[in-house]
Amino acid sequence: MRNEWNLDPTLIHLNHAAVGPWPIRTKKAICAFAEENAKQGSLNYLHWMKVEAELRQNLAALINAPDPDCIALLKNTSEALSIVAYGVDFNAGDNIVISDQEFPSNRIVWDSLNFKEVSLKEVDLNSAETPEDALINACDANTRLLSISSVQYGNGLRIDLRKLGEHCKKNDILFCVDAIQSVGAEQIDVEICHIDFLAADGHKWMLAPEGLALFYCRKALIPTLKLHQFGWHMVSDMGNYNRKTWQAAESARRFECGSPNMLGIHALNASISLLLEVGLQNVEQKIRQKINYLSCELQQLLHIEITTPTDDHRRLGILSFQSKKIASETLFKTLTEQNVFCALRSGAVRLSPHYYTPEQQLNTVIQLITEL
């Protein structure tokens, strides 16, 4: 790990749930790509396309997708969710089920469909014995799609995707997952969880720059989504610029209308290669160890309230907490002034370490909070 990270030692980076730093190999990949362009331009474009193909394979491996043809490389999670929202042939009277804790990306896109007379159900996740039961109870004969974040960005609640996926499959409901707070932090299996659509930016737990996202679409559903963006890159005979007739590619590339983000592709591929080398099982285990350690230590403080669920299966890489004596805004500001890079979300301070975060830094943060 020491060979892969060069973070400022005076900074304690606990904000991977926002925008993560880049590993050294990713910085090198970006610098090498820039140097190559400065000297040779796009002379080696055919090689760049091989890196693009390798990235699709690596992303498929990351979520256990059966085929890299199910992977599209898009700008961000919002674009991916929009492709689903405006690609599915919704009918008047259909409804979409989401939770009341979603990040705006997984709420606004569905709310925008109200002109089609499609209703949106925002479910209180505390309205039943489990969050999954609350969502399942809200589904009815008119539910066309259920969309949920795998981990809620505010309080770090982790959802049982398999339970929801099994219900959706049994009841012919499309299952869409915003997995931006999971991919790169844990093992996700789109097959076991019966996920139809999955979207995740690369700039959080996948440790890559902003501007490139993973979009998975179940193979059987690829031709069913209506297309609303068109260009040279999404056609089956890509590269035949003189052909007047065209048809969309059979793979998920049909959702990529124009020129790919080659710089982002080289960067994300480098970051993913690190995660695959370390192993997602190891990454997840180390993240959980750090979250459990922070949770156990903070719970010993009399005036601290953990707002993230304490059950291990209900959380992943996020730990949010409040103080009964100090306003969260003040606590956040004070920690930030002490070079603790964290976030303020849903009225709580949010910490999000990654697998490589040194334990000594966690001890420093705990000491700071104790002193406050």
Side-chain angles (χ1 to χ4, degrees), residues 73-81 199-203 211-215:
L73 304 176
L74 303 179
K75 294 191 295 292
N76 45 56
T77 304
S78 297
E79 182 183 29
L81 294 175
D201 276 273
H203 65 263
L212 192 61
L214 153 69
F215 174 50

Side-chain angles (χ1 to χ4, degrees), residues 15-30:
N15 205 24
H16 294 85
V19 179
W22 305 343
I24 290 175
R25 70 171 65 188
T26 303
K27 183 194 78 169
K28 289 181 176 179
I30 291 172

Side-chain angles (χ1 to χ4, degrees), residues 61-278:
L62 210 59
I63 61 172
N64 196 36
D67 191 329
D69 281 348
C70 298
I71 304 296
L73 304 176
L74 303 179
K75 294 191 295 292
N76 45 56
T77 304
S78 297
E79 182 183 29
L81 294 175
S82 295
I83 285 175
V84 177
Y86 286 84
V88 173
D89 187 19
F90 288 105
N91 299 310
D94 287 345
N95 68 61
I96 297 168
V97 172
I98 66 171
S99 85
D100 61 348
Q101 299 182 22
E102 296 304 309
F103 189 76
S105 296
N106 198 35
R107 173 175 48 81
I108 294 173
V109 65
W110 311 114
D111 195 38
S112 72
L113 294 171
N114 57 11
F115 72 94
K116 290 188 174 185
E117 298 182 32
V118 174
S119 59
L120 180 63
K121 293 184 177 182
E122 294 188 50
V123 178
D124 179 359
L125 293 180
N126 298 313
S127 63
E129 184 176 349
T130 69
E132 296 78 26
D133 289 338
L135 292 163
I136 289 171
N137 292 343
C139 295
D140 56 33
N142 294 320
T143 301
R144 187 69 183 283
L145 181 142
L146 188 157
S147 186
I148 191 71
S149 294
S150 55
V151 175
Q152 293 300 329
Y153 80 102
N155 64 3
L157 169 67
R158 181 174 178 269
I159 299 295
D160 185 343
L161 298 179
R162 185 169 184 174
K163 182 175 180 178
L164 290 179
E166 288 173 351
H167 174 79
C168 288
K169 182 179 181 181
K170 182 178 178 180
N171 292 274
D172 198 25
I173 298 171
L174 294 171
F175 187 31
C176 180
V177 177
D178 177 348
I180 196 170
Q181 296 292 1
S182 287
V183 178
E186 70 169 335
Q187 304 172 89
I188 291 184
D189 194 316
V190 294
E191 292 283 275
I192 289 178
C193 295
H194 306 291
I195 297 172
D196 294 309
F197 312 108
L198 180 144
D201 276 273
H203 65 263
K204 296 186 187 293
W205 301 95
M206 285 187 270
L207 303 168
E210 294 177 285
L212 192 61
L214 153 69
F215 174 50
Y216 162 80
C217 180
R218 186 173 296 281
K219 200 162 190 177
L221 295 175
I222 290 175
T224 70
L225 294 181
K226 292 181 181 178
L227 297 174
H228 296 275
Q229 299 183 92
F230 302 89
W232 72 275
H233 196 263
M234 49 81 69
V235 300
S236 59
D237 195 13
M238 184 181 68
N240 186 351
Y241 308 126
N242 295 320
R243 183 169 178 171
K244 300 300 181 183
T245 59
W246 62 273
Q247 62 182 17
E250 295 182 358
S251 69
R253 182 167 54 80
R254 64 166 47 204
F255 306 121
E256 306 167 9
C257 62
S259 297
N261 176 4
M262 278 298 179
L263 177 59
I265 286 170
H266 280 70
L268 181 56
N269 194 48
S271 295
I272 296 301
S273 72
L274 172 61
L275 294 172
L276 292 176
E277 283 179 22
V278 175

